[in-house]
Amino acid sequence: MNDIISKLGECVEFGKINLASPYPPAMKGLPGADELTREALESGLSPQSVLNDALIPAMNRVGNKFTEGKIFVPQMLLSAKAMNSAMKHLKPYFQNGEIKRKGVFVIGTVMGDLHDIGKNLTGMMVEGSGWEVIDLGTDVPAEKYIQALDEHPGAVCGMSALLTTTMSNMQPMIATIRAKYPETKVVVGGAPLNAEFAQKIGADAYARDPQDNINWLDSIVA
């Protein structure tokens, strides 16, 4: 059992998606996260154990490597894709309540901005860390966040912007959301942002990268 968990964690950490995937070269021809997750569940491992003992620790290692500059976006995306190939086997257990989520995270790129690589990567990483992720897409107005909060009371909101011209949309969006849901926690991120800006616009946190985002999310539910 521990061998499957260890191998699955390595597949996610190094981006081995499935048997057909040629990457990484050292794992070519070996089963990937897809096959190993199915094998783990069929062998009797609990879905919660697969998530807690293999996927979450692996994605934490990936996030820390990225933060430390040891890997870059392409490797991180492959790891996220490997994690997603494992998560598809766990989805039914989330839906029936057998696996407990840490919370709900609503993420989007703010109104006027169509960039989504950072948002997509953060969403995949956050989902792999045990949260339910509602991805609103790009060019998202405050009303879409409010609709998501109507459907998921108590959700945490994440906003991304890559342009200096669109980061200015964050403050009025946060104000609009808080007018209806005053207790809503908001984390912001994106290349032109910093912690000082986040504080100025009323956000609860600034995330430098996906792992920073995850660390903050986990801190508010600890």
Side-chain angles (χ1 to χ4, degrees), residues 42 50 70 78 86-87 104 106 139-140 144 150 158 164 175 202 219:
E42 289 174 352
V50 171
K70 294 178 179 176
L78 281 167
M87 291 290 282
V104 179
V106 179
D139 191 20
V140 180
K144 270 198 172 183
D150 289 341
T164 54
S219 76

Side-chain angles (χ1 to χ4, degrees), residues 84 86 103 112 158 175-176 181:
N84 277 347
T176 301
Y181 292 107

Side-chain angles (χ1 to χ4, degrees), residues 18 70 76 89 93 96 120 123 127-128 153 160 170 183 219:
N18 53 34
K70 294 178 179 176
M76 204 176 188
H89 296 286
Y93 301 99
N96 68 19
N120 293 347
E127 184 179 31
S160 172
M170 288 179 164
E183 303 302 315
S219 76

Side-chain angles (χ1 to χ4, degrees), residues 145-159:
Y145 280 96
I146 290 171
Q147 184 179 355
L149 289 165
D150 289 341
E151 297 169 5
H152 303 277
V156 181
C157 292
M159 294 182 182

Side-chain angles (χ1 to χ4, degrees), residues 74-137:
Q75 295 100 316
M76 204 176 188
L77 279 169
L78 281 167
S79 291
K81 287 179 179 178
M83 183 275 297
N84 277 347
S85 74
M87 291 290 282
K88 72 181 183 185
H89 296 286
L90 300 184
K91 287 282 169 71
Y93 301 99
F94 286 117
Q95 290 163 356
N96 68 19
E98 191 171 333
I99 304 181
K100 301 302 179 187
R101 297 281 202 181
K102 295 176 182 177
V104 179
F105 183 58
V106 179
I107 189 170
T109 304
V110 297
M111 187 170 60
D113 201 322
L114 299 176
H115 295 89
D116 66 356
I117 292 178
K119 171 191 67 67
N120 293 347
L121 191 50
T122 297
M124 288 189 285
M125 295 285 289
V126 169
E127 184 179 31
S129 74
W131 288 73
E132 180 180 354
V133 174
I134 310 298
D135 188 341
L136 301 178

